[in-house]
Amino acid sequence: MKKLRVFIADDQQVVREGIKMLINAQPDMEIIGEAGDGGEARRLCKDLMPDIVIMDVSLPDLNGAQVTEHLRVDSPQSKVLALSASQDEAHIEQLLNSGATGYVLKKAIAEELIIAIRTVSRGGIHIDPEIADKVVNGLPLSQHNHASLHNHGNESLSNREQEVLRLIAWGHTNKEIATLLQLSVKTVESHKTRLMEKLGFAARTDIVRYALRRGWLKEDS
């Protein structure tokens, strides 16, 4: 069995040790590296190219959002799962917009973290249930975005645009979407630009909220 290769970036050693014990106890996962600051995390992930990066939001040197943005270039196949004690709306929005495909609170039970890792590894997005409503309703919305999220905004989209939208919501990159739909990356980018214009979306957070509202991010969707 090929195991999920997991990297931990957290400035607290006790947190890293606890996560390592939890991950290494799973039959389908293994820890391949760890870092205590953002700069080290970026360097090691670029070399190791893990499947999953468990990323603390408040890292010294480079913060979690900054490292996540770098990894989109340095290690694009790595899925980033944000881990934080914070329920602050600004932190959540910053991490999701930087490219994280999940957000789990540090106080969550161990099983929640394992579920989140498996979800993002399959191309899904996992939002801690305790903050899911905040992601949908709490972050700032323009009047147009608010209407799109509450009404049937996808009715104005073509079938292909709806496919692209759903795959973006599940955390796939433009390159991955192009492969899945047998399109060029440029065509995927064009579909993405048009659908975001039609729905009045300005950032990835808008797509995540839209997907949450429509139930696309549930385990059985």
Side-chain angles (χ1 to χ4, degrees):
M1 176 195 302
K2 183 180 179 181
K3 294 187 176 183
L4 285 172
R5 302 167 65 253
V6 182
F7 186 94
I8 308 169
D10 195 290
D11 63 342
Q12 298 182 3
Q13 185 174 354
V14 65
V15 173
R16 298 200 305 270
E17 291 299 325
I19 294 175
K20 282 195 291 185
M21 290 180 61
L22 175 65
I23 299 301
N24 286 330
Q26 307 304 312
D28 57 341
M29 303 177 190
E30 62 180 345
I31 296 296
I32 63 165
E34 62 181 286
D37 65 69
E40 184 183 22
R42 182 190 176 186
R43 289 191 297 272
L44 290 176
C45 285
K46 187 175 182 178
D47 290 335
L48 296 171
M49 295 191 173
D51 299 313
I52 306 292
V53 180
I54 300 175
M55 183 78 68
D56 184 23
V57 171
S58 303
L59 288 171
D61 189 11
L62 297 173
N63 65 36
Q66 291 171 321
V67 178
T68 300
E69 288 178 350
H70 284 303
L71 291 184
R72 294 175 71 176
V73 176
D74 297 341
S75 183
Q77 78 288 340
S78 299
K79 304 294 186 182
V80 175
L81 177 61
L83 184 67
S84 176
S86 173
Q87 298 187 42
D88 182 75
E89 294 169 6
H91 281 155
I92 299 169
E93 185 168 27
Q94 186 180 35
L95 262 295
L96 293 177
N97 281 336
S98 68
T101 53
Y103 197 103
V104 177
L105 297 175
K106 285 189 174 180
K107 68 178 181 178
I109 58 176
E111 289 82 357
E112 185 71 26
L113 180 59
I114 296 300
I115 290 171
I117 291 171
R118 292 196 173 116
T119 298
V120 300
S121 74
R122 294 193 297 266
I125 293 179
H126 183 94
I127 305 297
D128 194 299
E130 189 164 329
I131 61 170
D133 286 344
K134 183 174 291 189
V135 174
V136 175
N137 300 313
L139 300 178
L141 286 170
S142 69
Q143 186 176 2
H144 189 173
N145 287 350
H146 187 85
S148 295
L149 285 169
H150 286 79
N151 299 321
H152 298 287
N154 63 330
E155 290 178 354
S156 66
L157 304 180
S158 68
N159 289 338
R160 183 62 86 189
E161 288 167 349
Q162 290 185 46
E163 287 178 320
V164 171
L165 176 62
R166 190 180 289 259
L167 289 169
I168 293 170
W170 286 341
H172 291 290
T173 64
N174 289 346
K175 185 176 180 180
E176 290 171 338
I177 295 171
T179 299
L180 288 167
L181 299 181
Q182 298 183 323
L183 301 171
S184 69
V185 174
K186 185 176 181 180
T187 299
V188 171
E189 291 172 349
S190 295
H191 285 310
K192 180 180 177 181
T193 298
R194 284 199 299 271
L195 71 88
M196 292 190 74
E197 288 177 351
K198 287 180 179 180
L199 295 174
F201 290 169
R204 187 168 178 270
T205 314
D206 296 326
I207 295 177
V208 173
R209 283 177 287 178
Y210 186 93
L212 280 169
R213 224 173 239 294
R214 298 185 180 282
W216 292 355
L217 306 184
K218 293 180 181 178
E219 190 69 17
D220 58 352
S221 64

